[in-house]
Amino acid sequence: MASFPVELLFGIYLGILTGIIPGLVAWSLGFVFKYFTGVTIPGFGVVVLAVALAGVNGGLLALADPTITQSANAVTITTAILVVLMISLYAHSRGDQMGATFPKRLSLKQLRERTLAADVRGALAGRDEARVRVVGEVADMEGYPPLPDDLRAEIRDSEWTFPADLRISELEARLAERLKTEYDLGDAAVTVDERGRAAVVAAPPFSGLSKRVPDGKRAVSVNALVPTGVARNDEVTLITPDAQVRGTVVSAKTQTATAAAGPDPEAAGADDDEDGDDEAEGVPQPVRAPTTTGGEGRVTVAVTRTDAEPLLKADRARVVVESRGVRREYELLSLLRRAGRRFGRVTVGAGGPLDGATVGEANVRSAYGVAVMAVRGASGWVVAPKGSTTLSAGDEVFAVGTRGELDAFREAVA
């Protein structure tokens, strides 16, 4: 007969070996019941089931069974039973705890609210940007004609850059819009994963010009000396012998290149370096709107119905491009960047320090060093929120601060 310490160690070994399956069952029961019903299973029921699963004479009765307590290996078996009980109780408590804290509304939508993986993001052209590339075959959209092969190949080989802090759902929306704009697609649907890989479903271009003409406007084409650099959506004044008409360019064509009608490599790259050093070094090229190279051609503009008549009567017009000025929001962003500040969007997390608190109570400026500029919640936008504005889980807070301050703010409240 082995000594008492040896039997005790052997009992612990036997208990661990036979307690694995009962422990898994106890964890599963604790997690499932707590997650779906909010009810905690009594510990007594768990240990009875666990010891019964271990196969020792029907559960806890084995502790009082004379055939066990008076047998030659009583110490080993009793120790094993106690180890199984402890394993099962611990596994049950952990499963119950996980069932109470595990998100109960985990969905595909929530997964898509995440941003791209950190290693996909990087500094491109001096900015924090994420690169998204199209992978796999570009699928045809149901109900539309198939895409031309050359257009399908061009989309498949494309690569795009976006701000790194965009959520996946926003990346999908922006990429779909970019594809429709750059390739004049009839429709497009995009799915992006965390690695920045995009799957695209697209419809071929159709009714190209009529799609670009705003409601209530008419598109009229005139012969003209087209200035260099005219692109779609430029504001121009057309001067004819009978009238001066303001309109918006929907397409333009010169004798050498086409602009605003779609992506034209010749037109879009007219000002690129001839030696192609940037491409050779792998530096991503910015997306440029196709523009005219200048010269004799035709320009199509969207004008009101009354302004269309003098243009239709004219054989030729002079084109004057009007200044659209600097958009104030872009000017503001430039000023903030020069001052070392930037905009950031933070989603209020459930149970976080901002959930249920007002802007004044959160004291965001003192606690995190950022200024709250706007809040978007279920009821809509609140610009320059007052201290009494209440924040709730899921609200989007738009704040201004340094990169480090915004990162710390995001980690603290998300």
Side-chain angles (χ1 to χ4, degrees):
M1 180 177 178
S3 63
F4 179 80
V6 173
E7 288 191 1
L8 188 63
L9 291 175
F10 186 69
I12 294 174
Y13 167 76
L14 182 61
I16 294 174
L17 191 64
T18 58
I20 295 176
I21 298 301
L24 289 175
V25 173
W27 180 90
S28 301
L29 289 175
F31 177 82
V32 170
F33 269 82
K34 193 67 175 182
Y35 182 81
F36 289 103
T37 67
V39 176
T40 299
I41 300 178
F44 179 77
V46 173
V47 297
V48 170
L49 177 61
V51 178
L53 288 173
V56 185
N57 282 339
L60 288 178
L61 295 179
L63 293 175
D65 193 335
T67 60
I68 299 298
T69 58
Q70 299 176 10
S71 64
N73 57 351
V75 175
T76 299
I77 295 178
T78 304
T79 303
I81 293 174
L82 292 176
V83 171
V84 170
L85 293 181
M86 289 188 291
I87 291 176
S88 302
L89 284 174
Y90 177 76
H92 168 257
S93 66
R94 297 299 299 174
D96 187 79
Q97 182 181 358
M98 290 185 64
T101 58
F102 201 76
K104 292 183 172 55
R105 289 186 293 273
L106 187 63
S107 64
L108 180 61
K109 180 180 179 181
Q110 286 179 310
L111 294 176
R112 292 170 65 246
E113 294 305 308
R114 295 179 295 180
T115 59
L116 296 182
D119 57 345
V120 178
R121 295 174 280 175
L124 302 177
R127 301 180 299 274
D128 286 340
E129 294 183 342
R131 185 177 299 175
V132 178
R133 65 186 187 280
V134 179
V135 296
E137 288 296 324
V138 178
D140 294 320
M141 185 166 288
E142 185 176 357
Y144 293 91
L147 287 169
D149 292 338
D150 57 343
L151 180 57
R152 191 191 308 275
E154 191 172 355
I155 296 174
R156 185 178 61 246
D157 297 336
S158 64
E159 188 173 82
W160 310 83
T161 56
F162 297 94
D165 59 349
L166 288 180
R167 294 175 298 182
I168 290 179
S169 58
E170 294 178 330
L171 282 175
E172 293 172 345
R174 290 201 185 188
L175 180 53
E177 188 62 31
R178 290 273 292 274
L179 288 171
K180 288 189 286 187
T181 301
E182 296 296 327
Y183 297 103
D184 207 20
L185 299 176
D187 200 0
V190 177
T191 302
V192 179
D193 65 11
E194 286 187 329
R195 307 299 305 170
R197 296 171 296 195
V200 177
V201 179
F206 61 90
S207 303
L209 181 60
S210 61
K211 265 199 325 181
R212 297 194 294 268
V213 178
D215 292 338
K217 296 295 183 69
R218 301 291 185 269
V220 180
S221 297
V222 293
N223 294 320
L225 181 63
V226 183
T228 301
V230 173
R232 186 187 302 171
N233 295 325
D234 276 345
E235 299 291 338
V236 298
T237 298
L238 300 178
I239 303 175
T240 68
D242 299 326
Q244 292 187 8
V245 177
R246 293 184 71 247
T248 303
V249 176
V250 291
S251 68
K253 181 178 181 179
T254 60
Q255 295 178 353
T256 57
T258 300
D264 188 331
E266 226 179 277
D271 297 328
D272 291 346
D273 291 337
E274 293 180 2
D275 56 6
D277 288 342
D278 285 347
E279 288 294 343
E281 295 174 2
V283 177
Q285 297 298 302
V287 177
R288 297 186 177 93
T291 59
T292 57
T293 57
E296 289 293 335
R298 290 178 65 83
V299 60
T300 303
V301 293
V303 296
T304 62
R305 182 180 301 178
T306 54
D307 289 337
E309 186 174 352
L311 292 181
L312 291 171
K313 293 179 179 179
D315 295 330
R316 187 176 178 81
R318 288 181 291 169
V319 178
V320 178
V321 181
E322 299 183 5
S323 171
R324 300 181 67 177
V326 178
R327 298 186 64 172
R328 295 305 180 188
E329 58 269 30
Y330 296 152
E331 191 173 22
L332 173 60
L333 288 174
S334 298
L335 290 173
L336 287 173
R337 286 188 177 276
R338 285 199 292 270
R341 301 291 189 271
R342 56 178 16 189
F343 271 106
R345 175 177 52 199
V346 178
T347 301
V348 178
L354 297 188
D355 188 8
T358 64
V359 174
E361 293 170 346
N363 201 13
V364 173
R365 185 183 293 273
S366 298
Y368 307 103
V370 300
V372 176
M373 307 300 293
V375 176
R376 182 170 65 180
S379 58
W381 283 91
V382 179
V383 180
K386 298 180 179 179
S388 58
T389 303
T390 303
L391 303 174
S392 303
D395 288 353
E396 293 181 331
V397 177
F398 293 80
V400 173
T402 64
R403 185 196 305 271
E405 291 169 344
L406 289 173
D407 290 343
F409 180 50
R410 185 176 290 107
E411 292 177 2
V413 306

